[in-house]
Amino acid sequence: MRLLFSFAFLLVFSVIVAQENNVVLPKNDTITRLAPITLIVKQQTPERFREVENNVLYSGKKNEVIRLANLNANFTTNNAREVFSKVPGVSIWENEGSGIQINVGVRGLSPNRSWELNTRQNGYDISSDVFGYPEAYYNPPLEAVDAIQLVRGGASLQFGSQFGGILNYVLKTASEKPFAFETQNTLGSYGLMSSYNAIGGTKNKFSYYVYNHYRTGKGWRENSAYDVRNSHAYFAYQFTPKTKLSLEYTNMDYEMQQAGGLTDQQFQDNPRQSLRKRNWFGTPWNLAALILDTKLASNLTLNTKLFGLVGERNSVGFTSTPNTIDAINTTTNDYANRQVDRDYYRNIGIETRSIYTYQVGKQNQNLAFGARLYRAKTNRKQQGKGTTGFEFDLKTEDRFSRDLDFQTDNIAFFAENQFKVTSNLSITPGIRYEQIKSSIDGRFSITNGNDVNVIPETLSRHKVLLGIGIEYKIKKTNLYTNFSQAFRPVLFSDITPPSTTDVIDKDLKDADGFNFDLGYRGNWLGWINFDVSYFYLNYNNRIGSIRKFVNDDPTQNTYLFRTNLGTTVHKGFESFLDLNLSKAVKLNQQIGDIQVFTTMSFIEATYTDFKTTQVSGSAPNIVIKEVNLKGNRVENAPRYIHNFGLTWSFKNFSSTLQNRRTGFVYSDANNTEAPTANGVTGKLEGYSVYDLSMEYRFLEKFTARAGVNNLDNTIYATRRAGGYPGPGILPNDARTFFLSIGVKL
């Protein structure tokens, strides 16, 4: 009934709103002028890259380009569930509705701040440290984004370390007019207010685009208020038709209250409740890039990016599990001191990409090559004794117990060559060389007033990655396959012992493995857009901890030994199908474009070998039993992710109704079924959610958008947290509304 009601509501509302408005203007004798009608045409999306584009070879690689102008979605709060609905296999954590952080993963990999993806903006890095701490605390507001580009595992040769692929946000660019102005202003549920304003233009050889976005809200849950501002400036000068130099600067700052997690019982009683009023998070973020695009010869292009990041990660709060009450201490007559954690990031890098085109026989061949030089510095201050107050206050009473310095240095070179065997068949082998050096120094803790320092350590390694892609064109479709090696460097958390008694393996290795794709995609008959593929992801040398006896003596205590423990395999099928039904029966001119789409993914992500230990007893009668997680499901990996949708575009109106269905997940590698009392581990059930978004354009320059997210008010959760943003189960937002008015001048 809910589904039928949703479709009926969509159609009735669409008919009412989409009536043609013939506005009669002042008459000039016998001529009646009618206001022009703006036609909304939602093209079939996602698109795919051409074989060579923007100094990158995409031949034989699974890729998607999502043009946001071709979507109906809630861009104001960066609703990833709608935006990625036409990309199969994308997992999403939706633990809060502000949209400040986009948490996505692919093929059963963790969505945690998109850390299994190489996240970029306009082609340069935006995460904290690509190698040591690849979490994306920043993403641009989607109202400022022109397209989202996603290339799966085959991206590792040209873009480097990752298993999931590359996720690149392409921002809007300057208008061809000397001056243009755009604004989009939104009101929504639970105090949502948003304003996006931008100016841009082109005058002779100079172009510019500047925007500011501000969003505030109280949040669906208690204690979920937020304020976020994003500002961006782009300036470019076209020296010659072959050479352009551009400068970009991005600044983001926000304060975000953290409602924290719940136990499962608390979640069932009232998912909107929050037991944490004093927890806050904020990350001032600065990005800058100087980009040179030039054509050195008729067959040689060069793109060079000099980029940098200056940012912070700041949190303050009462971090205990949700079954521990944050209450006033009767002895001190005050709340407990909160914990303050702060990271400072200072990164700089330069990256070049070139395409050299040459001819063999009658076919043009393409060689892509480039280099990268990168340095990242992180100063991590943790376990500071904060105030007993309620506000976002980062003051501490004493030194931080932990004060560590991390540094990453990276040099990389890559080359891929597209051999065009025929006009239809391409074979693209490639190689990448990585040299990475990671170091750690500083204070680990303070014991009895004395500093306990870590042993300064430097981990150096050299990596060679190989890969090959094959593509065969059949009219407007193509068969493709790709094999690419990948790796994930040891993270800062892997080389930081949780306690002073723990030991890190001196021979700790980077995780490595490979991605394999085999698929068929394209456009057929002018109204069918499809991509069907099989994938296989092998993830070796996963890192974990096992218990060992001190000095290998069973009569003594134990310690945790962090080392490489095993392998996971992710495999399955992904499919996307978009049908323009009205175009198929040649009625799109009369009734508009009626499109139905579906993305389906079936994911089998399991541990094939992962040793761990179980401990019982106490000294001197401790028993350590070795077990293996072989056959267990990978945590946070659902067995299926499906999206179904209907879009109707007619004249100046467009609307989309979609449904997302996701299978259950385990929150830990042990595949714990029953939730623990503190809500930190346990199975999370699957869910089904509906979203409705609409757009109406009028008077040429004005746009109205509206929508309902979680149309049938489903209560569900996609994540359990062991720490940030608060231990326990994290509820998703229930039904919310938004209404937005915009104008372009």
Side-chain angles (χ1 to χ4, degrees):
M1 287 298 293
R2 287 179 176 177
L3 179 59
L4 291 174
F5 171 80
S6 302
F7 273 87
F9 176 79
L10 171 70
L11 294 174
V12 172
F13 187 91
S14 301
V15 170
I16 294 173
V17 176
Q19 298 299 315
E20 179 177 340
N21 293 318
N22 289 336
V23 182
V24 181
L25 299 180
K27 293 184 178 181
N28 180 12
D29 294 332
T30 60
I31 300 176
T32 301
R33 299 178 185 175
L34 301 180
I37 298 172
T38 303
L39 297 180
I40 297 181
V41 181
K42 296 293 184 182
Q43 302 291 340
Q44 287 181 311
T45 192
E47 304 169 13
R48 286 111 195 165
F49 282 110
R50 296 187 295 270
E51 291 182 341
V52 181
E53 194 166 336
N54 300 324
N55 282 39
V56 180
L57 275 180
Y58 295 103
S59 179
K61 297 175 175 62
K62 185 175 179 68
N63 64 82
E64 290 96 358
V65 181
I66 308 167
R67 300 285 178 189
L68 270 62
N70 293 333
L71 295 178
N72 294 304
N74 184 354
F75 302 130
T76 300
T77 58
N78 297 344
N79 191 302
R81 191 172 64 233
E82 292 183 282
V83 172
F84 289 95
S85 62
K86 293 188 177 183
V87 181
V90 176
S91 302
I92 302 170
W93 274 355
E94 308 173 50
N95 49 274
E96 49 85 17
S98 74
I100 291 175
Q101 295 174 10
I102 293 180
N103 297 277
V104 295
V106 297
R107 299 175 172 176
L109 298 173
S110 171
N112 182 37
R113 283 185 284 279
S114 308
W115 69 348
E116 291 283 8
L117 292 157
N118 188 321
T119 53
R120 301 189 175 209
Q121 174 180 283
N122 289 345
Y124 52 85
D125 299 329
I126 61 174
S127 59
S128 308
D129 181 321
V130 174
F131 299 97
Y133 193 51
E135 302 193 15
Y137 286 104
Y138 159 82
N139 56 261
L142 293 185
E143 289 175 327
V145 174
D146 176 63
I148 299 175
Q149 301 169 346
L150 178 62
V151 184
R152 305 302 173 97
S156 59
L157 299 188
Q158 292 184 71
F159 293 95
S161 165
Q162 39 69 27
F163 273 90
I166 179 174
L167 177 66
N168 184 37
Y169 298 97
V170 181
L171 301 183
K172 295 177 180 177
T173 55
S175 168
E176 294 181 358
K177 300 187 296 184
F179 178 82
F181 170 72
E182 174 185 358
T183 183
Q184 194 75 37
N185 299 279
T186 306
L187 296 175
S189 304
Y190 307 104
L192 170 65
M193 292 188 293
S194 172
S195 183
Y196 172 80
N197 299 278
I199 59 172
T202 301
K203 180 67 173 177
N204 298 327
K205 296 182 178 182
F206 176 74
S207 58
Y208 65 99
Y209 188 81
V210 179
Y211 71 74
N212 183 76
H213 173 266
Y214 175 74
R215 184 168 74 253
T216 184
K218 296 179 181 178
W220 176 72
R221 289 187 65 197
E222 299 171 355
N223 305 320
S224 295
Y226 60 88
D227 288 278
V228 57
R229 178 193 49 77
N230 278 276
S231 301
H232 177 82
Y234 163 87
F235 303 98
Y237 191 79
Q238 191 82 43
F239 289 93
T240 71
K242 297 180 180 180
T243 302
K244 182 175 76 172
L245 183 68
S246 58
L247 174 65
E248 301 182 16
Y249 171 68
T250 302
N251 172 260
M252 178 199 69
D253 199 2
Y254 64 80
E255 292 185 5
M256 182 182 184
Q257 195 172 15
Q258 303 288 279
L262 300 173
T263 68
D264 286 70
Q265 186 60 55
Q266 293 164 348
F267 174 69
Q268 292 173 16
D269 292 342
N270 178 13
R272 290 190 63 191
Q273 69 177 305
S274 166
L275 307 175
R276 299 290 180 260
K277 297 182 179 180
R278 306 190 298 136
N279 293 12
W280 293 86
F281 190 86
T283 59
W285 215 258
N286 296 275
L287 301 165
L290 184 66
I291 303 172
L292 174 67
D293 284 289
T294 187
K295 197 168 186 178
L296 300 175
S298 60
N299 61 344
L300 178 61
T301 61
L302 171 68
N303 171 268
T304 301
K305 294 182 176 72
L306 175 65
F307 56 92
L309 182 155
V310 176
E312 298 179 22
R313 176 211 178 278
N314 300 314
S315 63
V316 56
F318 182 76
T319 58
S320 296
T321 55
N323 53 350
T324 301
I325 299 175
D326 183 14
I328 294 177
N329 187 314
T330 55
T331 303
T332 63
N333 201 31
D334 205 349
Y335 286 93
N337 292 86
R338 296 177 291 176
Q339 179 173 314
V340 177
D341 295 321
R342 307 193 68 176
D343 278 3
Y344 300 86
Y345 311 111
R346 303 292 186 269
N347 307 341
I348 189 169
I350 186 170
E351 192 170 48
T352 69
R353 300 184 184 280
S354 291
I355 295 287
Y356 175 68
T357 302
Y358 61 99
Q359 197 169 51
V360 175
K362 296 182 179 180
Q363 301 296 329
N364 284 335
Q365 319 295 317
N366 294 294
L367 171 65
F369 61 95
R372 175 184 171 94
L373 185 64
Y374 176 79
R375 167 169 286 184
K377 293 185 176 182
T378 298
N379 175 222
R380 175 159 293 174
K381 299 177 183 290
Q382 294 179 327
Q383 301 173 8
K385 187 176 182 180
T387 69
T388 60
F390 288 81
E391 302 304 317
F392 186 27
D393 186 349
L394 298 172
K395 292 194 295 287
T396 57
E397 294 185 0
D398 204 345
R399 296 183 301 160
F400 285 87
S401 178
R402 182 172 296 176
D403 190 345
L404 298 171
D405 291 304
F406 301 95
Q407 180 169 310
T408 302
D409 293 296
N410 170 235
I411 300 174
F413 304 93
F414 76 88
E416 279 194 286
N417 198 100
Q418 182 195 30
F419 293 102
K420 299 276 287 187
V421 180
T422 69
S423 58
N424 294 327
L425 177 61
S426 297
I427 301 176
T428 308
I431 186 171
R432 185 180 184 91
Y433 167 77
E434 295 265 10
Q435 177 184 318
I436 304 170
K437 183 171 69 174
S438 304
S439 62
I440 179 175
D441 196 5
R443 181 174 64 247
F444 177 75
S445 64
I446 300 175
T447 303
N448 298 323
N450 299 316
D451 289 3
V452 179
N453 295 322
V454 298
I455 299 174
E457 194 170 349
T458 298
L459 179 64
S460 297
R461 58 269 203 214
H462 304 266
K463 292 284 184 181
V464 176
L465 304 179
L466 301 174
I468 187 170
I470 303 174
E471 183 172 313
Y472 185 76
K473 295 180 181 178
I474 308 171
K475 295 182 179 179
K476 292 185 178 181
T477 68
N478 63 78
L479 292 163
Y480 64 93
T481 185
N482 188 280
F483 171 88
S484 294
Q485 291 180 302
F487 77 104
R488 178 172 184 162
V490 173
L491 304 180
F492 295 154
S493 57
D494 295 326
I495 58 177
T496 306
S499 69
T500 54
T501 59
D502 295 346
V503 176
I504 305 297
D505 187 351
K506 293 182 179 180
D507 297 320
L508 199 64
K509 300 176 182 177
D510 298 317
D512 59 19
F514 63 86
N515 277 277
F516 172 77
D517 288 289
L518 175 64
Y520 182 47
R521 65 191 173 196
N523 293 279
W524 189 44
L525 300 177
W527 55 276
I528 300 174
N529 185 9
F530 69 94
D531 189 346
V532 181
S533 65
Y534 170 80
F535 69 88
Y536 189 100
L537 189 162
N538 186 270
Y539 205 138
N540 301 319
N541 290 324
R542 279 187 174 267
I543 296 172
S545 298
I546 56 175
R547 281 283 171 185
K548 286 191 170 186
F549 289 109
V550 175
N551 297 324
D552 292 326
D553 183 352
T555 64
Q556 297 192 41
N557 283 318
T558 67
Y559 66 93
L560 275 175
F561 182 64
R562 193 159 183 82
T563 186
N564 301 101
L565 294 176
T567 298
T568 62
V569 168
H570 305 237
K571 56 185 177 181
F573 293 91
E574 298 172 335
S575 67
F576 161 71
L577 179 65
D578 188 334
L579 306 176
N580 190 322
L581 299 181
S582 57
K583 194 172 183 179
V585 296
K586 300 181 180 179
L587 290 176
N588 53 308
Q589 295 296 324
Q590 291 79 18
I591 63 174
D593 286 295
I594 299 177
Q595 297 169 243
V596 294
F597 68 86
T598 175
T599 58
M600 303 183 73
S601 57
F602 299 91
I603 305 166
E604 185 68 20
T606 57
Y607 286 91
T608 59
D609 178 45
F610 197 89
K611 297 177 182 179
T612 184
T613 52
Q614 294 177 349
V615 181
S616 60
S618 56
N621 300 309
I622 298 175
V623 176
I624 298 178
K625 179 182 178 181
E626 184 178 289
V627 296
N628 199 307
L629 299 180
K630 181 179 180 179
N632 280 17
R633 297 281 302 175
V634 174
E635 59 272 30
N636 303 308
R639 290 183 181 272
Y640 66 86
I641 304 170
H642 302 330
N643 292 281
F644 308 95
L646 168 67
T647 295
W648 180 41
S649 302
F650 187 57
K651 295 184 178 178
N652 48 359
F653 177 78
S654 178
S655 57
T656 298
L657 176 68
Q658 70 172 56
N659 172 230
R660 178 180 175 87
R661 296 173 180 265
T662 299
F664 73 85
V665 298
Y666 292 109
S667 60
D668 66 330
N670 289 316
N671 288 185
T672 303
E673 291 275 349
T676 53
N678 59 15
V680 172
T681 58
K683 182 179 177 181
L684 284 175
E685 296 298 336
Y687 61 90
S688 172
V689 181
Y690 292 89
D691 297 297
L692 173 66
S693 291
M694 296 164 284
E695 179 177 303
Y696 178 65
R697 297 182 187 177
F698 57 100
L699 300 179
E700 290 191 89
K701 298 178 175 62
F702 291 86
T703 301
R705 295 173 181 162
V708 185
N709 291 123
N710 197 346
L711 194 63
D712 54 353
N713 207 33
T714 299
I715 302 300
Y716 66 107
T718 59
R719 180 186 179 189
R720 295 181 187 271
Y724 166 84
I729 191 170
L730 298 171
N732 291 75
D733 285 7
R735 185 189 295 123
T736 57
F737 305 82
F738 73 93
L739 176 64
S740 184
I741 300 294
V743 62
K744 290 183 179 180
L745 302 174

